[in-house]
Amino acid sequence: MSREYCKIFAAEARAASGFGEVPEIIPLYLIYRPANNIPYATLEEDLGKPLESYCSREWSCTGAPTASSSSEALQKCQTFQHWLYQWTNGSFLVTDLAGVDWKMTDVQIATKLRGYQGLKESCFPALLDQFVSSHQCNTYCAMLGLKPLKVPETAHPQAKAKGSKSPSAGRKGPQLSPQPQKKGLPSPQGTRKSAPSSKTSQASEAVTIQSSGQPPIQDGGSKAQGMR
């Protein structure tokens, strides 16, 4: 997987004017030995010289000698890491780049998502954030038009703080909330409750008329004649 990503990077780097040589991750072959107790093994090219470390997970380790910071191969390996981080949206990184000249071998990967590209588990997820905070863009990053990386520790908390204040203030504010305006309007239940009072007065008037000795039919008839 790292080799295939490096091929894509090499194609884009060669298209950039004046980029020059591009690092290559040499292939790793899987061989089958049926007569051996361990039938499967890996085989790769012998580079013929001691490996030189270009990008390591632990810069303080006493393993392969570290290349100079002004080394062209080291800067281009860091550009490859920067390009790959943006290419995968911060989900994948190739580290422990060591080799001879432009040939790299024995690389390791770091991924933030479990199961990324078929991987069974995430490997060194903290290295992704560590790379963002420690990477410094160089000339080759500018040649490929790579944008500077943002540190997630300083970007996300500020965004959460701003987002948590403004929506809650707008929703809970008494002046902006539509609920107090609804409470100020006359309630429809009040008008409905006032209607039975008029019916009660009419019923009392009808009782008064009946008690005076005038039948309600004559009263309705006189009203009908008046209308005629």
Side-chain angles (χ1 to χ4, degrees), residues 31-125:
I31 61 174
Y32 175 62
R33 304 172 298 177
N36 198 293
N37 294 332
I38 304 176
Y40 293 97
T42 56
L43 182 67
E44 65 179 1
E45 176 186 356
D46 183 10
L47 299 180
K49 296 180 181 180
L51 301 181
E52 189 175 11
S53 177
Y54 297 104
C55 299
S56 175
R57 289 173 292 176
E58 298 179 0
W59 294 102
S60 59
C61 63
T62 58
T66 305
S68 173
S69 58
S70 60
S71 170
E72 181 181 355
L74 184 144
Q75 293 184 7
K76 289 183 177 179
C77 286
Q78 294 177 350
T79 302
F80 168 61
Q81 287 184 309
H82 186 175
W83 172 88
L84 182 58
Y85 183 88
Q86 289 192 354
W87 179 274
T88 59
N89 295 322
S91 300
F92 190 86
L93 186 68
V94 173
T95 184
D96 283 5
L97 289 165
V100 176
D101 297 333
W102 298 103
K103 292 185 177 182
M104 307 298 158
T105 182
D106 195 21
V107 299
Q108 302 295 325
I109 61 174
T111 177
K112 184 173 293 185
L113 301 177
R114 184 180 299 273
Y116 179 81
Q117 296 290 337
L119 298 175
K120 296 182 179 180
E121 59 183 7
S122 63
C123 308
F124 313 108

Coordinates of all heavy atoms in Angstrom, one line a residue, residues 31-125:
I31 N 7.4 -15.0 -0.4 CA 7.8 -16.3 -1.0 C 7.3 -17.4 -0.1 O 7.0 -17.3 1.1 CB 9.4 -16.4 -1.1 CG1 10.0 -16.3 0.3 CG2 9.9 -15.3 -2.0 CD1 11.5 -16.5 0.3
Y32 N 7.1 -18.5 -0.8 CA 6.6 -19.7 -0.1 C 7.6 -20.8 -0.1 O 8.1 -21.2 -1.2 CB 5.3 -20.2 -0.8 CG 4.7 -21.5 -0.3 CD1 4.3 -21.6 1.0 CD2 4.7 -22.6 -1.1 CE1 3.8 -22.8 1.5 CE2 4.1 -23.8 -0.6 CZ 3.7 -23.9 0.7 OH 3.2 -25.1 1.2
R33 N 8.0 -21.4 1.1 CA 9.0 -22.4 1.2 C 8.3 -23.6 1.9 O 8.3 -23.7 3.1 CB 10.1 -21.9 2.0 CG 10.8 -20.6 1.5 CD 11.8 -20.1 2.4 NE 11.3 -19.7 3.7 CZ 12.0 -19.2 4.7 NH1 13.3 -19.1 4.6 NH2 11.4 -18.9 5.8
P34 N 7.8 -24.6 1.1 CA 7.0 -25.7 1.7 C 7.9 -26.6 2.6 O 7.4 -27.2 3.6 CB 6.5 -26.4 0.5 CG 7.4 -26.1 -0.6 CD 7.8 -24.7 -0.3
A35 N 9.2 -26.7 2.4 CA 10.0 -27.6 3.2 C 10.5 -26.9 4.5 O 11.2 -27.6 5.3 CB 11.2 -28.0 2.3
N36 N 10.2 -25.7 4.7 CA 10.7 -25.0 5.9 C 9.6 -25.0 7.0 O 8.4 -25.1 6.7 CB 11.1 -23.5 5.5 CG 12.0 -22.9 6.6 OD1 11.5 -22.7 7.7 ND2 13.2 -22.6 6.2
N37 N 10.1 -24.9 8.2 CA 9.1 -24.9 9.3 C 8.3 -23.6 9.3 O 7.1 -23.6 9.7 CB 9.9 -24.9 10.7 CG 10.6 -26.2 10.9 OD1 10.2 -27.3 10.4 ND2 11.7 -26.2 11.7
I38 N 8.8 -22.5 8.8 CA 8.1 -21.3 8.6 C 7.9 -21.2 7.0 O 8.9 -20.7 6.4 CB 8.8 -20.1 9.2 CG1 9.0 -20.3 10.7 CG2 8.0 -18.8 9.0 CD1 9.8 -19.2 11.4
P39 N 6.8 -21.6 6.5 CA 6.8 -21.7 5.0 C 6.7 -20.3 4.3 O 7.1 -20.3 3.1 CB 5.5 -22.4 4.8 CG 4.6 -22.2 6.0 CD 5.6 -22.0 7.1
Y40 N 6.3 -19.3 5.0 CA 6.2 -18.0 4.3 C 7.3 -17.0 4.8 O 7.6 -17.0 6.0 CB 4.8 -17.4 4.5 CG 3.7 -18.1 3.8 CD1 2.9 -19.1 4.5 CD2 3.4 -17.9 2.4 CE1 1.9 -19.8 3.9 CE2 2.4 -18.6 1.8 CZ 1.7 -19.5 2.5 OH 0.7 -20.2 1.9
A41 N 7.8 -16.3 3.9 CA 8.8 -15.3 4.3 C 8.8 -14.1 3.3 O 8.2 -14.2 2.2 CB 10.2 -15.9 4.3
T42 N 9.4 -13.0 3.6 CA 9.5 -11.8 2.8 C 10.9 -11.7 2.2 O 11.9 -12.0 2.9 CB 9.0 -10.6 3.5 OG1 9.8 -10.4 4.7 CG2 7.6 -10.7 3.9
L43 N 11.0 -11.1 1.0 CA 12.3 -11.0 0.4 C 12.3 -9.6 -0.3 O 11.3 -9.2 -0.9 CB 12.5 -12.1 -0.7 CG 13.8 -12.1 -1.4 CD1 14.9 -12.4 -0.5 CD2 13.8 -13.1 -2.6
E44 N 13.4 -8.9 -0.2 CA 13.5 -7.6 -0.8 C 14.9 -7.4 -1.3 O 15.8 -8.2 -1.0 CB 13.1 -6.5 0.2 CG 14.0 -6.3 1.4 CD 13.6 -5.2 2.3 OE1 12.6 -4.5 2.0 OE2 14.3 -5.0 3.3
E45 N 15.1 -6.3 -2.0 CA 16.4 -6.0 -2.7 C 17.4 -5.6 -1.6 O 17.1 -4.9 -0.6 CB 16.2 -4.9 -3.7 CG 17.5 -4.4 -4.3 CD 17.3 -3.2 -5.2 OE1 16.2 -2.8 -5.4 OE2 18.3 -2.7 -5.7
D46 N 18.6 -6.1 -1.8 CA 19.7 -5.7 -0.9 C 20.3 -4.4 -1.4 O 20.8 -4.4 -2.6 CB 20.8 -6.8 -0.9 CG 21.9 -6.5 0.1 OD1 21.8 -5.5 0.9 OD2 23.0 -7.2 0.1
L47 N 20.2 -3.4 -0.6 CA 20.7 -2.1 -1.1 C 22.2 -1.9 -1.0 O 22.7 -0.9 -1.5 CB 20.0 -1.0 -0.3 CG 18.5 -0.9 -0.4 CD1 17.9 0.2 0.5 CD2 18.0 -0.8 -1.8
G48 N 22.9 -2.8 -0.3 CA 24.3 -2.8 -0.4 C 25.0 -1.9 0.6 O 26.2 -2.0 0.7
K49 N 24.3 -1.0 1.2 CA 24.9 -0.1 2.2 C 24.1 0.0 3.4 O 22.9 -0.4 3.4 CB 25.0 1.3 1.5 CG 25.9 1.4 0.3 CD 26.0 2.9 -0.2 CE 26.9 3.0 -1.4 NZ 26.9 4.4 -1.9
P50 N 24.6 0.5 4.5 CA 23.8 0.7 5.7 C 22.7 1.7 5.5 O 22.8 2.7 4.7 CB 24.8 1.2 6.7 CG 26.1 0.8 6.2 CD 26.0 0.8 4.8
L51 N 21.5 1.4 6.1 CA 20.4 2.3 5.8 C 20.5 3.6 6.6 O 21.1 3.7 7.6 CB 19.1 1.6 6.3 CG 18.7 0.3 5.7 CD1 17.4 -0.3 6.3 CD2 18.6 0.4 4.2
E52 N 20.0 4.7 5.9 CA 20.1 6.0 6.5 C 18.6 6.4 6.8 O 17.8 6.3 5.9 CB 20.7 7.0 5.5 CG 21.0 8.3 6.1 CD 21.8 9.2 5.2 OE1 21.9 8.9 4.0 OE2 22.2 10.3 5.6
S53 N 18.4 6.9 8.0 CA 17.0 7.2 8.4 C 16.6 8.6 7.9 O 17.4 9.6 8.1 CB 16.9 7.2 9.9 OG 15.6 7.6 10.3
Y54 N 15.5 8.7 7.3 CA 15.0 10.0 6.8 C 13.8 10.5 7.6 O 13.7 11.7 7.9 CB 14.6 9.9 5.3 CG 15.7 9.6 4.4 CD1 15.9 8.3 3.9 CD2 16.7 10.5 4.1 CE1 16.9 8.0 3.1 CE2 17.7 10.2 3.3 CZ 17.9 8.9 2.8 OH 18.9 8.6 2.0
C55 N 12.8 9.6 7.9 CA 11.7 10.0 8.8 C 11.4 8.9 9.7 O 11.2 7.7 9.3 CB 10.4 10.2 7.9 SG 10.6 11.6 6.7
S56 N 11.5 9.2 11.0 CA 11.4 8.1 12.0 C 10.3 8.5 13.0 O 10.0 9.7 13.2 CB 12.7 7.9 12.7 OG 12.6 7.0 13.8
R57 N 9.7 7.5 13.7 CA 8.7 7.7 14.7 C 9.4 8.3 16.0 O 8.8 9.1 16.7 CB 8.0 6.4 15.1 CG 7.1 5.9 14.0 CD 6.6 4.5 14.4 NE 7.7 3.5 14.3 CZ 7.5 2.3 14.7 NH1 6.3 1.9 15.1 NH2 8.5 1.4 14.6
E58 N 10.6 7.9 16.2 CA 11.4 8.4 17.4 C 12.7 8.9 16.9 O 13.6 8.2 16.6 CB 11.6 7.3 18.4 CG 10.2 6.8 19.0 CD 10.5 5.6 20.0 OE1 11.7 5.3 20.2 OE2 9.5 5.1 20.5
W59 N 12.8 10.3 16.9 CA 14.1 10.9 16.4 C 15.2 10.6 17.4 O 16.4 10.8 17.0 CB 13.8 12.4 16.2 CG 12.9 12.7 15.1 CD1 11.6 13.0 15.3 CD2 13.1 12.6 13.7 NE1 11.0 13.2 14.0 CE2 11.9 12.9 13.1 CE3 14.2 12.2 12.9 CZ2 11.8 12.9 11.7 CZ3 14.1 12.3 11.5 CH2 12.9 12.6 10.9
S60 N 14.9 10.3 18.6 CA 16.0 10.1 19.6 C 16.5 8.7 19.6 O 17.4 8.4 20.4 CB 15.5 10.4 21.0 OG 14.4 9.6 21.3
C61 N 16.0 7.8 18.7 CA 16.4 6.4 18.8 C 17.9 6.3 18.2 O 18.3 7.1 17.4 CB 15.5 5.5 18.0 SG 15.4 5.9 16.2
T62 N 18.6 5.3 18.7 CA 20.0 5.1 18.3 C 20.0 4.0 17.2 O 20.8 3.0 17.4 CB 20.8 4.8 19.5 OG1 20.3 3.6 20.1 CG2 20.8 5.9 20.5
G63 N 19.3 4.0 16.2 CA 19.2 3.0 15.2 C 20.1 3.4 14.0 O 21.3 3.7 14.1
A64 N 19.4 3.5 12.9 CA 20.1 4.0 11.6 C 20.5 5.5 11.8 O 19.7 6.3 12.4 CB 19.2 3.8 10.4
P65 N 21.6 5.9 11.2 CA 22.0 7.3 11.3 C 21.0 8.2 10.6 O 20.5 7.8 9.6 CB 23.4 7.3 10.6 CG 23.4 6.1 9.8 CD 22.5 5.1 10.5
T66 N 20.7 9.4 11.2 CA 19.7 10.3 10.7 C 20.4 11.2 9.6 O 21.5 11.7 9.9 CB 19.1 11.1 11.8 OG1 18.6 10.2 12.8 CG2 18.0 12.0 11.2
A67 N 19.7 11.4 8.5 CA 20.3 12.3 7.5 C 20.2 13.7 7.9 O 19.5 14.1 8.8 CB 19.5 12.1 6.2
S68 N 21.0 14.5 7.3 CA 21.1 16.0 7.7 C 19.8 16.6 7.3 O 19.1 16.2 6.3 CB 22.3 16.6 6.9 OG 22.2 18.0 7.1
S69 N 19.4 17.7 8.0 CA 18.1 18.4 7.7 C 18.2 19.1 6.4 O 17.1 19.3 5.8 CB 17.9 19.4 8.8 OG 18.9 20.3 8.9
S70 N 19.4 19.3 5.8 CA 19.5 19.9 4.5 C 19.5 18.9 3.4 O 19.6 19.3 2.2 CB 20.7 20.8 4.5 OG 21.9 20.0 4.7
S71 N 19.4 17.6 3.7 CA 19.4 16.6 2.7 C 18.2 16.7 1.8 O 17.1 16.8 2.3 CB 19.5 15.2 3.4 OG 19.3 14.2 2.4
E72 N 18.4 16.6 0.5 CA 17.3 16.7 -0.4 C 16.4 15.5 -0.3 O 15.2 15.6 -0.4 CB 17.9 16.7 -1.9 CG 16.8 16.8 -2.9 CD 17.4 16.8 -4.3 OE1 18.6 16.9 -4.5 OE2 16.6 16.8 -5.3
A73 N 17.0 14.3 0.0 CA 16.2 13.1 0.1 C 15.3 13.2 1.4 O 14.1 12.8 1.4 CB 17.0 11.9 0.2
L74 N 15.8 13.7 2.5 CA 15.0 13.9 3.7 C 13.9 14.9 3.5 O 12.8 14.6 3.9 CB 16.0 14.4 4.8 CG 15.3 14.5 6.2 CD1 16.3 14.1 7.3 CD2 14.8 15.9 6.5
Q75 N 14.1 16.0 2.8 CA 13.1 17.0 2.6 C 12.0 16.4 1.7 O 10.8 16.7 1.9 CB 13.7 18.3 2.0 CG 14.6 19.0 3.0 CD 15.1 20.3 2.4 OE1 14.7 20.7 1.3 NE2 16.0 20.9 3.1
K76 N 12.4 15.6 0.7 CA 11.4 15.1 -0.2 C 10.6 13.9 0.5 O 9.4 13.7 0.2 CB 12.0 14.6 -1.5 CG 12.5 15.7 -2.4 CD 13.1 15.2 -3.6 CE 13.6 16.4 -4.5 NZ 14.2 15.9 -5.8
C77 N 11.2 13.2 1.4 CA 10.5 12.2 2.2 C 9.4 12.9 3.1 O 8.3 12.4 3.2 CB 11.4 11.4 3.0 SG 12.4 10.2 2.1
Q78 N 9.8 14.1 3.7 CA 8.8 14.8 4.5 C 7.7 15.4 3.6 O 6.6 15.5 4.0 CB 9.6 15.9 5.2 CG 10.5 15.4 6.3 CD 11.3 16.5 6.9 OE1 11.3 17.7 6.5 NE2 12.0 16.2 8.0
T79 N 8.1 15.8 2.4 CA 7.0 16.3 1.4 C 6.1 15.1 1.1 O 4.9 15.3 0.9 CB 7.7 16.9 0.2 OG1 8.6 17.9 0.6 CG2 6.7 17.4 -0.8
F80 N 6.6 14.0 0.9 CA 5.8 12.8 0.6 C 4.8 12.5 1.8 O 3.6 12.2 1.5 CB 6.7 11.6 0.4 CG 5.9 10.3 0.3 CD1 4.9 10.0 -0.6 CD2 6.2 9.3 1.3 CE1 4.2 8.8 -0.6 CE2 5.5 8.1 1.3 CZ 4.5 7.8 0.3
Q81 N 5.3 12.7 3.0 CA 4.4 12.5 4.2 C 3.3 13.5 4.2 O 2.2 13.2 4.4 CB 5.2 12.6 5.4 CG 6.1 11.3 5.7 CD 6.8 11.5 7.0 OE1 7.5 12.5 7.4 NE2 6.7 10.4 7.9
H82 N 3.7 14.8 3.9 CA 2.7 15.9 3.9 C 1.7 15.6 2.8 O 0.5 15.8 3.0 CB 3.5 17.2 3.6 CG 2.6 18.4 3.7 ND1 3.1 19.7 3.6 CD2 1.3 18.6 3.8 CE1 2.1 20.6 3.7 NE2 1.0 19.9 3.8
W83 N 2.2 15.3 1.6 CA 1.2 15.0 0.5 C 0.3 13.8 0.8 O -0.9 13.9 0.6 CB 2.0 14.7 -0.8 CG 1.2 14.2 -1.9 CD1 0.6 15.0 -2.9 CD2 0.9 12.8 -2.2 NE1 -0.1 14.2 -3.8 CE2 0.1 12.9 -3.4 CE3 1.2 11.6 -1.7 CZ2 -0.4 11.7 -4.0 CZ3 0.7 10.5 -2.2 CH2 -0.1 10.5 -3.4
L84 N 0.8 12.8 1.4 CA 0.0 11.6 1.7 C -1.0 11.9 2.8 O -2.2 11.4 2.8 CB 0.9 10.5 2.2 CG 0.2 9.1 2.5 CD1 -0.6 8.6 1.3 CD2 1.2 8.1 3.0
Y85 N -0.6 12.8 3.8 CA -1.6 13.1 4.9 C -2.8 13.9 4.3 O -3.9 13.6 4.7 CB -0.8 14.0 5.9 CG -1.7 14.4 7.1 CD1 -1.8 13.6 8.2 CD2 -2.4 15.6 7.1 CE1 -2.5 13.9 9.3 CE2 -3.2 16.0 8.2 CZ -3.2 15.1 9.3 OH -4.0 15.5 10.3
Q86 N -2.5 14.8 3.4 CA -3.6 15.5 2.8 C -4.4 14.7 1.8 O -5.6 14.8 1.6 CB -3.1 16.8 2.1 CG -2.6 17.9 3.0 CD -2.4 19.2 2.3 OE1 -2.4 19.3 1.1 NE2 -2.1 20.2 3.1
W87 N -3.7 13.8 1.1 CA -4.4 12.9 0.1 C -5.4 12.0 0.8 O -6.5 11.8 0.2 CB -3.3 12.1 -0.6 CG -3.8 11.1 -1.6 CD1 -4.3 9.9 -1.4 CD2 -4.0 11.3 -3.0 NE1 -4.7 9.3 -2.6 CE2 -4.5 10.2 -3.6 CE3 -3.7 12.4 -3.9 CZ2 -4.8 10.0 -5.0 CZ3 -3.9 12.3 -5.3 CH2 -4.5 11.1 -5.8
T88 N -5.1 11.5 2.0 CA -6.0 10.6 2.7 C -6.8 11.4 3.7 O -7.4 10.7 4.6 CB -5.2 9.5 3.4 OG1 -4.2 10.2 4.3 CG2 -4.4 8.7 2.4
N89 N -6.9 12.7 3.7 CA -7.7 13.5 4.6 C -7.3 13.3 6.1 O -8.1 13.2 7.0 CB -9.1 13.3 4.4 CG -9.6 13.7 3.1 OD1 -9.2 14.8 2.5 ND2 -10.5 13.0 2.5
G90 N -6.0 13.1 6.3 CA -5.5 12.9 7.7 C -5.7 11.6 8.3 O -5.7 11.4 9.5
S91 N -5.9 10.5 7.4 CA -6.2 9.2 7.9 C -5.1 8.2 7.8 O -5.1 7.2 8.4 CB -7.4 8.6 7.2 OG -8.6 9.4 7.4
F92 N -4.0 8.6 7.0 CA -3.0 7.6 6.8 C -1.7 8.3 6.6 O -1.6 9.4 6.1 CB -3.3 6.9 5.4 CG -2.4 5.7 5.2 CD1 -2.7 4.4 5.7 CD2 -1.3 5.8 4.4 CE1 -1.9 3.3 5.4 CE2 -0.4 4.7 4.1 CZ -0.7 3.5 4.6
L93 N -0.6 7.7 7.2 CA 0.7 8.3 7.1 C 1.8 7.2 7.0 O 1.6 6.1 7.7 CB 1.0 9.1 8.4 CG 2.3 9.9 8.4 CD1 2.3 11.0 7.4 CD2 2.5 10.5 9.8
V94 N 2.8 7.4 6.2 CA 3.9 6.5 6.1 C 5.1 7.1 6.9 O 5.4 8.2 6.7 CB 4.3 6.3 4.6 CG1 5.6 5.4 4.6 CG2 3.2 5.6 3.9
T95 N 5.6 6.3 7.8 CA 6.7 6.7 8.6 C 7.9 5.7 8.6 O 7.8 4.7 7.9 CB 6.2 7.0 10.1 OG1 7.3 7.5 10.9 CG2 5.7 5.7 10.7
D96 N 8.9 6.0 9.4 CA 10.1 5.2 9.4 C 10.7 5.0 8.0 O 11.1 3.9 7.7 CB 9.8 3.8 10.1 CG 9.7 3.9 11.6 OD1 9.8 5.0 12.1 OD2 9.5 2.9 12.2
L97 N 10.8 6.1 7.3 CA 11.4 6.0 6.0 C 12.9 6.0 6.1 O 13.5 6.9 6.6 CB 10.9 7.2 5.1 CG 9.5 7.2 4.7 CD1 9.1 8.6 4.2 CD2 9.3 6.1 3.6
A98 N 13.5 4.9 5.7 CA 15.0 4.7 5.7 C 15.4 4.0 4.5 O 14.6 3.2 3.9 CB 15.4 3.9 7.0
G99 N 16.6 4.3 4.0 CA 17.1 3.6 2.8 C 18.5 4.1 2.4 O 19.2 4.7 3.2
V100 N 18.7 3.9 1.2 CA 20.0 4.3 0.6 C 19.7 5.1 -0.7 O 19.0 4.7 -1.6 CB 20.9 3.1 0.2 CG1 22.2 3.5 -0.5 CG2 21.2 2.3 1.4
D101 N 20.2 6.3 -0.7 CA 20.0 7.3 -1.8 C 18.4 7.5 -1.9 O 17.8 8.0 -1.0 CB 20.6 6.7 -3.1 CG 22.1 6.6 -3.0 OD1 22.7 7.4 -2.2 OD2 22.7 5.8 -3.7
W102 N 17.8 7.1 -3.0 CA 16.4 7.4 -3.2 C 15.5 6.1 -3.0 O 14.3 6.2 -3.2 CB 16.2 7.9 -4.6 CG 16.9 9.2 -4.8 CD1 18.0 9.4 -5.5 CD2 16.4 10.5 -4.3 NE1 18.3 10.8 -5.5 CE2 17.4 11.4 -4.8 CE3 15.4 10.9 -3.5 CZ2 17.3 12.8 -4.4 CZ3 15.3 12.3 -3.2 CH2 16.3 13.2 -3.7
K103 N 16.1 5.0 -2.6 CA 15.4 3.8 -2.4 C 15.1 3.6 -0.9 O 16.0 3.6 -0.1 CB 16.2 2.6 -2.9 CG 16.3 2.6 -4.4 CD 17.0 1.3 -5.0 CE 17.0 1.3 -6.5 NZ 17.6 0.0 -7.0
M104 N 13.8 3.5 -0.6 CA 13.4 3.4 0.8 C 12.9 2.0 1.1 O 12.3 1.3 0.2 CB 12.2 4.4 1.1 CG 12.6 5.8 0.7 SD 14.0 6.5 1.6 CE 14.6 7.8 0.5
T105 N 13.1 1.6 2.3 CA 12.6 0.2 2.7 C 12.3 0.2 4.2 O 12.5 1.2 4.9 CB 13.7 -0.8 2.5 OG1 13.3 -2.1 2.8 CG2 15.0 -0.5 3.3
D106 N 11.7 -0.9 4.6 CA 11.3 -1.1 6.0 C 10.4 0.0 6.6 O 10.7 0.5 7.7 CB 12.6 -1.3 6.8 CG 12.3 -1.9 8.2 OD1 11.2 -2.5 8.4 OD2 13.0 -1.7 9.2
V107 N 9.4 0.4 5.8 CA 8.6 1.5 6.2 C 7.5 1.0 7.2 O 7.2 -0.2 7.1 CB 8.0 2.3 5.0 CG1 9.0 2.8 4.1 CG2 7.0 1.3 4.2
Q108 N 7.0 1.9 8.0 CA 5.8 1.6 8.8 C 4.7 2.6 8.5 O 4.9 3.6 7.8 CB 6.2 1.8 10.3 CG 7.4 0.9 10.7 CD 7.1 -0.6 10.7 OE1 5.9 -1.0 11.0 NE2 8.0 -1.4 10.3
I109 N 3.5 2.2 8.9 CA 2.3 3.0 8.6 C 1.7 3.4 9.9 O 1.8 2.8 11.0 CB 1.3 2.3 7.7 CG1 0.8 1.0 8.4 CG2 1.9 2.0 6.4 CD1 -0.3 0.3 7.6
A110 N 1.0 4.6 9.8 CA 0.1 5.0 11.0 C -1.2 5.4 10.4 O -1.3 6.1 9.4 CB 0.8 6.2 11.6
T111 N -2.3 4.9 11.0 CA -3.6 5.2 10.6 C -4.5 5.6 11.8 O -4.3 5.1 12.9 CB -4.2 4.0 9.8 OG1 -5.6 4.3 9.5 CG2 -4.2 2.8 10.7
K112 N -5.4 6.5 11.6 CA -6.3 6.9 12.6 C -7.6 6.1 12.7 O -8.2 6.0 13.8 CB -6.6 8.4 12.4 CG -7.5 9.0 13.6 CD -7.6 10.5 13.4 CE -6.2 11.2 13.6 NZ -6.4 12.7 13.5
L113 N -8.0 5.6 11.6 CA -9.3 4.8 11.6 C -9.1 3.3 11.6 O -8.2 2.8 10.8 CB -10.1 5.2 10.3 CG -10.4 6.7 10.2 CD1 -11.2 7.0 8.9 CD2 -11.3 7.2 11.3
R114 N -9.8 2.7 12.4 CA -9.7 1.2 12.4 C -10.4 0.6 11.2 O -11.5 1.0 10.8 CB -10.4 0.7 13.7 CG -10.3 -0.8 13.9 CD -11.0 -1.3 15.1 NE -10.4 -0.6 16.3 CZ -9.4 -1.1 17.0 NH1 -8.8 -2.2 16.6 NH2 -8.9 -0.5 18.1
G115 N -9.7 -0.3 10.6 CA -10.2 -0.9 9.4 C -9.9 -0.1 8.1 O -10.5 -0.4 7.1
Y116 N -9.1 0.9 8.1 CA -8.8 1.7 7.0 C -8.1 0.9 5.9 O -7.1 0.2 6.1 CB -7.9 2.9 7.4 CG -7.6 3.8 6.2 CD1 -8.5 4.8 5.8 CD2 -6.3 3.7 5.6 CE1 -8.1 5.6 4.7 CE2 -6.0 4.5 4.5 CZ -6.9 5.5 4.1 OH -6.6 6.3 3.0
Q117 N -8.7 0.9 4.7 CA -8.2 0.1 3.5 C -8.0 -1.3 3.9 O -7.0 -2.0 3.4 CB -6.9 0.8 3.0 CG -7.1 2.2 2.5 CD -7.8 2.2 1.2 OE1 -7.9 1.2 0.5 NE2 -8.4 3.4 0.9
G118 N -8.9 -1.9 4.7 CA -8.8 -3.3 5.0 C -7.8 -3.7 6.1 O -7.7 -4.8 6.5
L119 N -7.2 -2.7 6.8 CA -6.4 -2.9 7.9 C -7.2 -3.4 9.1 O -8.3 -2.9 9.4 CB -5.5 -1.7 8.3 CG -4.6 -1.2 7.2 CD1 -4.0 0.1 7.6 CD2 -3.5 -2.2 6.9
K120 N -6.7 -4.3 9.9 CA -7.4 -4.9 11.0 C -7.5 -4.0 12.2 O -8.5 -4.0 12.9 CB -6.8 -6.3 11.4 CG -6.9 -7.3 10.3 CD -6.3 -8.6 10.7 CE -6.4 -9.7 9.7 NZ -5.8 -11.0 10.1
E121 N -6.5 -3.2 12.4 CA -6.5 -2.3 13.5 C -5.7 -1.0 13.2 O -5.0 -1.0 12.2 CB -5.9 -3.0 14.7 CG -4.5 -3.4 14.5 CD -3.9 -4.2 15.7 OE1 -4.7 -4.4 16.7 OE2 -2.7 -4.5 15.7
S122 N -5.9 0.0 14.0 CA -5.2 1.2 13.8 C -3.8 1.1 14.4 O -3.6 0.4 15.4 CB -5.9 2.4 14.5 OG -6.0 2.2 15.9
C123 N -2.9 1.7 13.7 CA -1.5 1.6 14.1 C -0.9 3.0 14.4 O -0.9 3.9 13.5 CB -0.7 1.0 13.0 SG -1.3 -0.6 12.4
F124 N -0.5 3.3 15.6 CA 0.1 4.5 16.0 C -0.7 5.7 15.6 O -0.3 6.6 14.9 CB 1.5 4.6 15.4 CG 2.3 3.4 15.6 CD1 2.6 2.6 14.5 CD2 2.8 3.0 16.8 CE1 3.4 1.5 14.6 CE2 3.6 1.9 16.9 CZ 3.9 1.1 15.8
P125 N -2.0 5.9 16.1 CA -2.8 7.0 15.7 C -2.3 8.3 16.2 O -2.5 9.4 15.6 CB -4.2 6.7 16.3 CG -3.9 5.8 17.4 CD -2.7 5.0 17.0

